[in-house]
Amino acid sequence: MLSYSRIVIIIGILLIMGNLLGQTSPTRDLILEIQVVGNQNIEVDLIKATLNVAVGTSLSEDRIANGIKNLSKLGVFNNIVVRRVTIPGGLRLVVEVEEFPIINSVSYEGNRRLRNSRLDEITTIRSGSYLAPFLLVENRNRI
């Protein structure tokens, strides 16, 4: 039969091992790289700065969620996905973006009540701007 002191030692060892196994490795959540893919017109540095997640910091789901919101507020992305890739020593964040198409030209057809110059004054869609769905709705309502 085991003595009381041996039982206490065994329980202590099991508790310590359980705590060690339950802890996450600090390097497992360490961001070592940030890679941006899919951007065509928006600079990588602007995307990284707006994401507000830095190399050398620990991964934070809240910070990633806020970064995605910040990128969405730019109004130029149709889709934003942030993936984690485990690499030796930590993580690589892959920021996948899909930009809205850019408007090449604006023309008005079928308008009989308003002149094109007046439509240009009323609307905010211009050549060279992004064709975001919310802009279409907004401009439709303006007309």
Side-chain angles (χ1 to χ4, degrees):
M1 189 153 168
L2 294 173
S3 71
Y4 177 75
S5 61
R6 285 188 180 190
I7 292 174
V8 170
I9 291 173
I10 291 172
I11 291 173
I13 290 172
L14 290 174
L15 287 173
I16 291 171
M17 288 178 60
N19 282 339
L20 291 176
L21 292 175
Q23 291 178 351
T24 58
S25 168
T27 59
R28 192 175 92 194
D29 292 336
L30 183 65
I31 300 169
L32 298 179
E33 300 175 16
I34 299 174
Q35 178 183 8
V36 177
V37 295
N39 58 312
Q40 296 176 359
N41 300 298
I42 304 299
E43 294 292 326
V44 170
D45 290 339
L46 175 62
I47 293 170
K48 287 180 178 180
T50 306
L51 186 63
N52 199 25
V53 176
V55 170
T57 62
S58 293
L59 180 67
S60 162
E61 295 298 330
D62 289 340
R63 187 173 285 166
I64 296 292
N66 287 334
I68 291 172
K69 276 187 204 174
N70 291 340
L71 286 169
S72 294
K73 287 178 184 177
L74 292 176
V76 297
F77 297 115
N78 185 38
N79 194 25
I80 304 163
V81 176
V82 178
R83 291 186 299 112
R84 305 173 230 192
V85 178
T86 303
I87 58 175
L91 294 173
R92 173 188 304 128
L93 289 185
V94 180
V95 183
E96 298 175 3
V97 295
E98 178 186 340
E99 296 176 16
F100 288 121
I102 292 182
I103 299 168
N104 288 328
S105 64
V106 177
S107 64
Y108 306 102
E109 296 178 7
N111 56 315
R112 294 174 190 230
R113 288 181 169 175
L114 300 172
R115 293 184 180 166
N116 287 353
S117 60
R118 178 66 182 134
L119 288 171
D120 279 338
E121 292 172 9
I122 294 170
T123 61
T124 60
I125 294 178
R126 304 283 181 260
S127 295
S129 63
Y130 286 92
L131 183 61
F134 68 89
L135 287 177
L136 292 176
V137 172
E138 177 184 293
N139 281 277
R140 186 180 320 133
N141 292 338
R142 286 174 174 239
I143 297 173

